[in-house]
Amino acid sequence: MLADRPKQYLGLHGRTVLEHALACFDGHPRVRGIVLSIALDDPYWSSLVLKTSTPVHLVPGGTERADSVLQALELLDALAEGDDWVLVHDAARPCLTREDLDRLIETVEQDAVGGILAVPVRDTMKRANAEGRIARTEARNGLWHALTPQMFRLGLLRSSLIQARERGLAVTDEASAMELAGHAPMLVEGRADNIKITRPEDLALAEFFLSRAAGAHS
């Protein structure tokens, strides 16, 4: 990001990226609480003044994403039931809409496994070789970009992440842990503007999306 701080603390449309990421969940009638995984050496969190109506709990972040998620699930294991639903969301995704969140919850809540927000791949996909040249073109039929939130039952997701860790398997999102445990999560089509802040130009794009959304609701 070429920035002086982690991307979740960068300024965006009057707030930090993290505050925008939390906004869609705060005050939602189906959300009972929020758990944040924060690095132990994080120097920015203490200066952030969060104003939320939904209870917020903190846990120490881990080395990898799966470690941080598992830390949060361990806390929830003492507060909730194994069949309760959890939603896992990236702190660097500030443009989630309430409509997409509601669609995910309503579509998945009667499912035995759970599911994720995703968008179908529209671009031509290339596989690179070791020299950085095109090895082949991948068929995009049936390919989706995985987004967040990802929604699974607490007990099932926790056990799937533990199994993956014990087997030494790397997982890049919660759905992949569920897949490795033999489950097939649902794909729920979401909006393509639910972007993850990864590169400097993403901030300008997120600013545009948030400004447009604010104008539509004013």
Side-chain angles (χ1 to χ4, degrees), residues 17 38-39 51 53 57 60 75 89 116 118 132 147 158 160 163 176 215:
V17 170
I38 304 291
K51 297 179 180 178
S53 58
H57 308 271
L75 172 70
H89 189 55
I116 71 171
L147 310 176
R158 178 174 172 268
S160 296
Q163 287 176 37
S176 58

Side-chain angles (χ1 to χ4, degrees), residues 78-99:
L79 301 175
E81 301 296 328
D83 284 341
D84 287 337
W85 290 106
V86 293
L87 293 151
V88 183
H89 189 55
D90 294 324
R93 285 191 191 271
C95 300
L96 173 66
T97 65
R98 179 62 66 90
E99 292 77 15

Side-chain angles (χ1 to χ4, degrees), residues 61-82:
T63 305
E64 303 293 339
R65 172 199 176 99
D67 302 319
S68 296
V69 173
L70 194 51
Q71 291 273 53
L73 297 180
E74 295 294 355
L75 172 70
L76 290 175
D77 190 52
L79 301 175
E81 301 296 328

Side-chain angles (χ1 to χ4, degrees), residues 41-54:
D41 59 351
D42 186 325
Y44 302 101
W45 167 256
S46 60
S47 63
L48 192 64
V49 180
L50 277 185
K51 297 179 180 178
T52 60
S53 58
T54 301

Side-chain angles (χ1 to χ4, degrees), residues 102-111 151 186-188:
D102 288 341
R103 184 182 307 110
L104 176 65
I105 293 172
E106 291 164 6
T107 304
V108 169
E109 64 181 339
Q110 300 303 322
D111 190 73
M151 178 172 161
M186 294 181 67
L187 290 163
V188 179

